Amino acid sequence: MGESTESLGGNGPTPQDRKKPTRSNYGFHSFRGFTWHQFTGTMSTGSLAVVLYQTPYQFSGLVTAGKVIFIIDLVFFALLCICICLRFFINPKQIVKSVYDSDQSHDEPFYLGAFGVSLALLLQCISLYGVPACGPWLIKACEVLFWIYFACILVFAVLQYQTLFVTQDFNLDSMTPSWLMPIYPLLVTGPLAGVLMQHQPHESASPIWICGIAAQGLGWMVTVLMYAMWAIRLLTTEIPPPVMRPSMFVAVGPTAYTVTAIVALGSSASTGLPDPFLGEPPKAAAATINVIAVVAGTFLWLFAFWFFALSAVAVALGSRKLTPNYSWWSFIFPNAGLTLATIQLGKAYDSPAINYLCSVMTGALFLGWLFVSASLLNAVRKGKLG
């Protein structure tokens, strides 16, 4: 693949990356275009597969379509892993550059989080689509993988931000929503816990439930700090140029996935709470927690929609100047979170109106995924995208 273009708010490759390859370095340049940015594609594809499984008003073939999307995501993820490993094998110095780069215009280090989110979504899909067909062994495997995943992304969240704090000196007026990406793996841990514990026995489900709440709390609190900086950046400088405005949708995801986690974990509190809980049977406390979770989720849902509306208006105003680039994946993944949050609230309120809205959102998300995929593939074919 050739040169890369705009990422989710990024500036693509450095000028050095654009040097014409020679016979001696052709292999390196062939794989240099594979970066952590591309995993935003597997984030979007995996989130769509999860939405298709959970959306209300299922019909014949919908789960099959979800399985196909899941398989596409799995193959896509495996290919990206192979290509990025080849990039690092050909030039080991690229490993350090992908984690830390002193050039602020090169934002690849932020997108390590996309790899972690892709893993979480694959694990959700394995639980949703695989467990009913494979049996108890996969349930145990999902439990083990969850704890490995949580340990890794917790260490990553600490080390990645620590590296950025110590080695970088960013200007607030250059902020993009990509600054949220290192914490995104924690923001999908709550929804992951809500999915996995559906099949887990109580002794395994309870620790996962507690961990899901704690991880979501950390992810949400870091997000609140980033939201403040993002609001100041928008108030003190102009909004991003049109080609980067799709990345504004990234701000929708943290709140949306937090709503998804709160409501899903609240509804499963009877399974997740330890028994006894504070010296009492968990049943009464579970009912109270569920009510609080639904109220809190409703309280936050409109905040996510507000970010969606701001982003949609900004993109619409600059739509004539849009060109296909990797930031287009942010049309899908964050809005998949908003769809999942709406699905959870529809279940909680048992509202046909909300459920119909979820069906419309699911259809729009699927069509959007087809459009973005086709546009980016066409851009690659024409050599306009790495």
Side-chain angles (χ1 to χ4, degrees), residues 4 10-11 15 30 50 61 106 129 166 173 178 190 204 208 215 221 246 287 295 299 323 330 345-346 354 360 363:
S4 176
N11 296 309
S30 298
V50 174
H106 196 245
Y129 293 105
V166 172
D173 58 2
S178 67
S204 300
I208 291 176
M221 292 310 300
V295 172
F299 179 84
T323 56
S330 58
L345 289 174
I354 296 178
V360 172

Side-chain angles (χ1 to χ4, degrees), residues 324 371-385:
F371 175 74
V372 171
S373 299
S375 298
L376 295 181
L377 286 173
N378 187 52
V380 171
R381 182 181 65 83
K382 293 181 177 180
K384 297 180 179 180
L385 187 68

Side-chain angles (χ1 to χ4, degrees), residues 28-328:
F28 168 65
H29 279 272
S30 298
F31 291 99
R32 196 170 192 172
F34 290 98
T35 67
W36 300 116
H37 300 88
Q38 273 90 348
F39 286 94
T40 55
T42 53
M43 286 168 57
S44 299
T45 307
S47 63
L48 176 62
V50 174
V51 169
L52 290 177
Y53 189 92
Q54 297 192 3
T55 192
Y57 303 126
Q58 295 276 332
F59 58 87
S60 177
L62 190 59
V63 173
T64 301
K67 289 180 180 178
V68 172
I69 298 295
F70 167 43
I71 293 171
I72 292 173
D73 184 43
L74 189 61
V75 173
F76 189 13
F77 181 82
L79 289 174
L80 286 179
C81 288
I82 292 171
C83 290
I84 204 165
C85 286
L86 286 172
R87 170 197 171 191
F88 295 152
F89 176 77
I90 293 171
N91 189 340
K93 292 181 180 179
Q94 289 289 308
I95 299 176
V96 176
K97 185 176 181 180
S98 74
V99 177
Y100 157 69
D101 194 335
S102 58
D103 183 0
Q104 293 185 22
S105 67
H106 196 245
D107 66 347
E108 184 183 3
F110 285 109
Y111 286 90
L112 272 167
F115 177 81
V117 174
S118 298
L119 286 174
L121 291 166
L122 283 172
L123 191 51
Q124 283 192 55
C125 289
I126 290 171
S127 180
L128 292 170
Y129 293 105
V131 166
C134 295
W137 72 268
L138 190 56
I139 296 175
K140 187 63 179 179
C142 286
E143 178 193 359
V144 173
L145 290 173
F146 172 82
W147 289 112
I148 295 174
Y149 171 80
F150 174 69
C152 291
I153 58 107
L154 183 59
V155 172
F156 167 76
V158 174
L159 294 182
Q160 183 66 3
Y161 274 118
Q162 177 67 17
T163 300
L164 295 172
F165 293 157
V166 172
T167 62
Q168 304 284 12
D169 185 16
F170 293 103
N171 296 317
L172 191 58
D173 58 2
S174 66
M175 180 187 183
T176 71
S178 67
W179 291 18
L180 289 165
M181 290 303 297
I183 206 66
Y184 248 97
L186 279 169
L187 287 165
V188 296
T189 303
L192 173 61
V195 167
L196 293 187
M197 63 181 295
Q198 295 176 11
H199 304 291
Q200 298 292 329
H202 181 266
E203 60 271 16
S204 300
S206 184
I208 291 176
W209 186 83
I210 295 171
C211 177
I213 292 175
Q216 200 68 36
L218 173 57
W220 170 247
M221 292 310 300
V222 173
T223 297
V224 169
L225 300 176
M226 294 294 178
Y227 274 161
M229 291 189 288
W230 178 235
I232 293 172
R233 183 251 192 265
L234 293 177
L235 286 169
T236 56
T237 61
E238 61 183 13
I239 63 175
V243 73
M244 292 174 62
R245 288 181 193 174
S247 68
M248 293 177 66
F249 281 105
V250 174
V252 176
T255 304
Y257 283 101
T258 297
V259 173
T260 304
I262 289 174
V263 180
L265 293 173
S267 66
S268 58
S270 58
T271 304
L273 284 175
D275 188 7
F277 179 66
L278 301 179
E280 301 291 338
K283 187 175 182 180
T288 303
I289 290 173
N290 189 27
V291 171
I292 295 173
V294 173
V295 172
T298 306
F299 179 84
L300 289 174
W301 184 91
L302 199 59
F303 186 48
F305 178 80
W306 181 71
F307 271 118
F308 167 82
L310 287 177
S311 305
V313 171
V315 169
L317 292 175
S319 58
R320 293 185 179 182
K321 297 181 179 179
L322 286 177
T323 56
N325 58 76
Y326 290 123
S327 74
W328 281 30

